[in-house]
Amino acid sequence: MTRALAVVVTGGTDNWSPARWRDRFAMRLPDRPVVLLPDGAADLAAITYAAVWKPPAGLLARLPNLRVVFNLGAGVDGVLADPTLPNVPLVRAVSPDLTGRMTEYVVMQVLLHHRRWFHLMACQRERRWAPGLQWAARDLRVGVLGLGVLGRDSAQVLARLGFQVAGWSRAPQRVEGIACFAGRDQLDSFLARTDILVCLLPLTADTRGLVDRALLKKLARNGPLGGPILINAGRGGLHVEADVIAALDDGTLAGASLDVFEIEPLPLRSPLWAHPKVIVTPHNAADSDADVLAADVADQITAFERGAALANVVDRAIGY
Ligand code: NDP
Ligand code: OXD
């Protein structure tokens, strides 16, 4: 058996150009074939590993000797949505590089709202010298939905900056300096003490549509920002976009930073593009780095073939 690696990267340019990923893997795994799929001429029976980003449904099922699927992002909702996904271990991306990038994004967005970026930019456009009131970080309560690899790091860095930080997870957690809430029973208390809601949950059957109008109404309304703020860098399916827009329009939300959307790319017709209270970014809060991930996957393959257990294997029953 040749033990080839298939690279399946769909629909990307720039960072997600398929050839770019194929080249990085070929550099890291010089002793084995690295093939870019779909490729009509490829020997599918020789493929034992697949490194994937948004693989077309049904493609992985055509690899009869597949042993491991490595997802090139942290979120696996797209891969798990394929009903024909072979029953082999699914490994997701976890790396300090990815975590650091997400923490940069979350901290940047929290600071933009905290330091009144919309107000300052409006003043600059109008040549108006109007510093206004600026409160301290300790006056703001940030709540992070999802206290996993990414949420925990963002929460801890925000806490070090002085914000009052809480996190919400499925199972109870202990994170130093963070007020930890868990499960649906504690969700309302978590929301009631939150001025800025950061969403870093995986998209699962349990979390889809969680951030809806009813949830947004439960956020704190007595903070210094004039209303709560939503930052979603998890997945677009976590929020109900029509509810978010309605909440922005009627003042339930004072602002939002959205990196992920129900439909991506965000359709041109979406009012979010030009909404005066919204910062839109194109699902690049934390890009996967091809050099870092190719090295991580190559290391995992080497260790796996020596008999070691794979790290960061997804629990398919719970969906993350
Ligand atoms: P993890 O799996 O490490 O953490 C997930 C967290 O969510 C855990 O704390 C988990 O709880 C919690 N959670 C899951 N389901 C529930 C639930 N039903 N109720 C309460 N809490 C729940 O994931 P990561 O931190 O690595 O990544 C999070 C997500 O970020 C990814 O799934 C992906 O969608 C998104 N992402 C977005 C990127 C972007 O560029 N926009 C880049 C990278 C990731 P528990 O601790 O109890 O298990
Ligand atoms: C990821 C992502 O899941 O980029 O890593 O969204």
Side-chain angles (χ1 to χ4, degrees), residues 74-75 92 102 146-151 168-171 173 200-202 206-207 233-235 259-260 283 285-286 320:
R92 70 190 194 95
M102 182 57 87
L147 265 186
V149 174
L150 303 180
W168 183 70
S169 54
R170 205 165 55 91
Q173 301 254 8
L200 280 175
L201 289 164
D206 228 35
T207 61
R235 282 288 182 269
D259 184 59
V260 287
H283 195 144
Y320 68 96

Side-chain angles (χ1 to χ4, degrees), residues 4 26 53 89 118 122 157 163 176 183 188 192-193 200 226 228 231 233 262 268:
W53 181 242
F118 288 116
V157 173
F163 294 98
E176 204 188 327
D188 286 2
R193 52 74 60 211
L200 280 175
I231 298 173
E262 286 175 353
L268 286 178

Side-chain angles (χ1 to χ4, degrees), residues 120 140 176 184 238 271 297:
L120 294 175
L140 270 182
E176 204 188 327
R184 296 281 172 154
L238 296 168
V297 169

Side-chain angles (χ1 to χ4, degrees), residues 16 53 71-76 93 98 234-235 283 286-288:
W16 286 111
W53 181 242
N71 188 51
L72 297 173
V76 290
L98 192 69
R235 282 288 182 269
H283 195 144
D287 253 349
S288 296

Side-chain angles (χ1 to χ4, degrees), residues 3-165:
R3 295 178 305 155
L5 171 82
V7 177
V8 189
V9 170
T10 305
T13 53
D14 304 319
N15 185 50
W16 286 111
S17 136
R20 185 160 182 273
W21 284 83
R22 190 259 330 273
D23 294 349
R24 295 309 196 284
F25 278 108
M27 255 162 52
R28 288 288 172 178
L29 294 164
D31 299 331
R32 73 179 72 218
V34 174
V35 294
L36 206 50
L37 292 186
D39 168 359
D43 174 8
L44 300 185
I47 292 168
T48 37
Y49 305 103
V52 307
W53 181 242
K54 299 183 181 169
L59 190 147
L60 296 172
R62 291 171 47 216
L63 309 178
N65 294 310
L66 190 63
R67 294 182 66 192
V68 185
V69 176
F70 295 95
N71 188 51
L72 297 173
V76 290
D77 46 293
V79 182
L80 290 177
D82 177 356
T84 70
L85 182 67
N87 191 17
V88 298
L90 170 62
V91 172
R92 70 190 194 95
V94 173
S95 87
D97 177 84
L98 192 69
T99 304
R101 289 167 189 250
M102 182 57 87
T103 298
E104 283 176 8
Y105 172 87
V106 171
V107 169
M108 174 173 77
Q109 297 305 329
V110 168
L111 289 179
L112 288 176
H113 293 284
H114 163 51
R115 299 304 301 247
R116 310 186 65 193
W117 191 247
F118 288 116
H119 164 72
L120 294 175
M121 287 300 97
C123 289
Q124 183 178 341
R125 272 194 305 276
E126 294 159 18
R127 299 172 180 249
R128 195 153 55 86
W129 190 268
L133 184 69
Q134 183 59 61
W135 45 87
R138 66 175 175 277
D139 298 329
L140 270 182
R141 297 159 295 179
V142 181
V144 182
L145 285 172
L147 265 186
V149 174
L150 303 180
R152 206 176 317 134
D153 193 66
S154 290
Q156 287 184 306
V157 173
L158 288 167
R160 276 206 294 282
L161 288 175
F163 294 98
Q164 300 173 49
V165 185

